[in-house]
Amino acid sequence: MIEAAISEAMKDAGKPAPPSGIFPEVPEGFRSGFAVLWGRPNVGKSTLLNALLGEKIAIVSPKPQTTRNRIAGVLNWENSQVVLWDTPGIHRPKHRLGECLVESARSALPDAEVVLFVVDVSVKPSEEDALCSDHLRGVGCPVMLLLNKVDLCPAEDLDKRWQSYSELLRCDKVAAVSALTGAGLSDLAAVVVDFLPEGPPYFPADMITDQTESFMIGELIREATLHLTHQEIPYSIAVTVEEMTPRSESLLYIAANVVVERDSQKGIVIGNGGKMLRQIGESARSEIERKLDCKVFLDLHVKVREKWRSDEASLQRFGYALSRRDVS
Ligand SMILES: Nc1nc2c(ncn2[C@@H]2O[C@H](COP(=O)(O)OP(=O)(O)OP(=O)(O)O)[C@@H](O)[C@H]2O)c(=O)[nH]1
Ligand SMILES: [Mg+2]
């Protein structure tokens, strides 16, 4: 199942598919496999992925339900390769989009060599954390509990929290980390590798993610919108990248739509005299320029697609319904 998704991703990235997963120069004892970041929204899964990778490939925000797709980050060392899957936060869905997010996260579990169950140790376990652990019962691979945001947890509370999160599920290992400060992360990588079987790498060493450039551009636009809008708007937004055309050697023209569910939301995203849309565009453009290392002309438009979060065709079109990359 995962091999099919990888071949597909490599095709998207313009790379040849690996010859039946065999890389000729693999040293003896090389380890490789899949680790899945799992947890409720907002616990820091995407921040952890970016921190372990040393590069931002997943968008992050203080608002829950930021991640909407399964995203692979490929960690390469001399004798091992970890394919680390970031997943959407597990929650009780209120509409079809929410169901798609949970389905997408769950679709990563059957291939996992180890699940990294991420929790926010600065707060007590919630009903959503319990829901996450329920999904993991009988998962068929080791589970490691990651107590993230340890930088926010008063030292005197750490043991108590450690205890209460450990009661949610019997885990094979526990570690306290901070994705933000980097505390505990260098040890974590070595522990994850220990869970992997011997085998060749799944991705070439120069490929750090399975995501396409246009997907990442859409995500950076969505991230800028998430940061600048409030209430229900961040949850009602989808972004489609309609065109990417080089205008010269150093200028890329990008046309994208920010899709909302209602006319009133369109007005808010455009703002007075177009002020909000300009702010979103400026913020997204500088992030995209940093990522692509070239100048960008970003042409943003706002479209309304009524109730798209409950509409199967829209969810397919925006890439949120499970595709053959997730299931085969
Ligand atoms: N202080 C602190 N903040 C963190 C840490 N890790 C993540 N955060 C913050 O927590 C918020 C949520 O982080 P994300 O990485 O988007 O969380 P997520 O689990 O991927 O959330 P979803 O995609 O919604 O499931 C952001 O504001 C991060 O900056 C940490 O170790 N310490
Ligand atoms: Mg996330």
Side-chain angles (χ1 to χ4, degrees):
M1 184 194 288
I2 284 276
E3 272 87 351
I6 287 173
S7 291
E8 190 80 7
M10 289 180 58
K11 224 164 62 205
D12 289 349
K15 307 236 180 224
S20 337
I22 309 293
F23 285 73
E25 68 290 356
V26 178
E28 276 262 318
F30 194 92
R31 286 170 181 267
S32 65
F34 303 98
V36 172
L37 290 162
W38 180 265
R40 68 169 173 80
N42 223 27
V43 289
K45 299 178 296 299
S46 302
T47 312
L48 256 170
L49 177 77
N50 294 337
L52 286 166
L53 209 58
E55 187 167 335
K56 180 173 162 181
I57 60 160
I59 64 167
V60 164
S61 95
K63 289 161 190 152
Q65 292 170 40
T66 297
T67 303
R68 290 181 179 165
N69 302 78
R70 220 171 66 182
I71 295 175
V74 186
L75 309 173
N76 287 299
W77 294 282
E78 203 179 335
N79 287 310
S80 56
Q81 180 179 82
V82 181
V83 181
L84 189 57
W85 291 102
D86 186 15
T87 59
I90 298 300
H91 62 285
R92 284 194 198 284
K94 294 203 179 76
H95 40 61
R96 182 70 190 120
L97 171 65
E99 287 173 9
C100 289
L101 304 195
V102 174
E103 280 168 19
S104 167
R106 283 173 56 93
S107 74
L109 290 180
D111 295 289
E113 253 86 39
V114 55
V115 172
L116 307 179
F117 177 18
V118 186
V119 299
D120 178 349
V121 73
S122 71
V123 293
K124 291 179 188 161
S126 68
E127 193 260 337
E128 271 181 341
D129 292 301
L131 183 65
C132 291
S133 59
D134 287 346
H135 277 289
L136 291 180
R137 274 178 234 293
V139 72
C141 72
V143 177
M144 179 170 183
L145 178 64
L146 282 190
L147 307 165
N148 190 36
K149 306 199 187 183
V150 73
D151 56 296
L152 294 180
C153 182
E156 63 273 19
D157 289 348
L158 189 57
D159 273 355
K160 192 174 62 193
R161 290 280 159 75
W162 185 304
Q163 179 66 31
S164 47
Y165 277 106
S166 299
E167 281 166 11
L168 288 177
L169 186 73
R170 220 173 56 81
C171 291
D172 299 78
K173 264 208 167 6
V174 187
V177 298
S178 169
L180 207 65
T181 68
L185 294 192
S186 52
D187 296 342
L188 174 63
V191 174
V192 171
V193 169
D194 275 348
F195 284 110
L196 306 185
E198 285 192 14
Y202 287 86
F203 287 92
D206 63 344
M207 196 167 163
I208 61 157
T209 181
D210 65 334
Q211 301 307 306
T212 61
E213 213 164 64
S214 96
F215 172 84
M216 284 196 267
I217 289 168
E219 287 289 89
L220 290 173
I221 298 168
R222 196 163 64 82
E223 185 180 48
T225 318
L226 284 179
H227 282 284
L228 288 162
T229 60
H230 307 283
Q231 287 161 356
E232 93 281 9
I233 305 271
Y235 308 101
S236 311
I237 277 169
V239 174
T240 59
V241 175
E242 302 292 327
E243 186 183 339
M244 291 168 61
T245 314
R247 284 275 165 91
S248 72
E249 273 209 354
S250 57
L251 181 71
L252 180 66
Y253 170 83
I254 299 171
N257 292 332
V258 176
V259 184
V260 291
E261 289 197 304
R262 293 197 301 273
D263 277 327
S264 59
Q265 295 172 338
K266 179 175 176 174
I268 295 169
V269 172
I270 292 175
N272 258 347
K275 191 170 166 209
M276 174 60 86
L277 192 60
R278 261 198 311 281
Q279 274 183 325
I280 292 170
E282 275 162 24
S283 163
R285 181 176 50 77
S286 66
E287 284 292 311
I288 297 167
E289 286 182 341
R290 206 190 332 264
K291 183 104 214 149
L292 302 185
D293 198 21
C294 72
K295 286 267 164 229
V296 163
F297 183 97
L298 183 58
D299 192 7
L300 277 188
H301 297 267
V302 184
K303 305 273 179 207
V304 178
R305 195 140 177 174
E306 298 245 331
K307 298 194 178 147
W308 69 259
R309 286 184 295 174
S310 306
D311 171 42
E312 208 62 44
S314 301
L315 291 164
Q316 291 276 354
R317 156 105 173 85
F318 301 152
Y320 298 137
L322 281 189
S323 68
R324 75 198 158 90
R325 282 178 65 151
D326 302 310
V327 282
S328 60

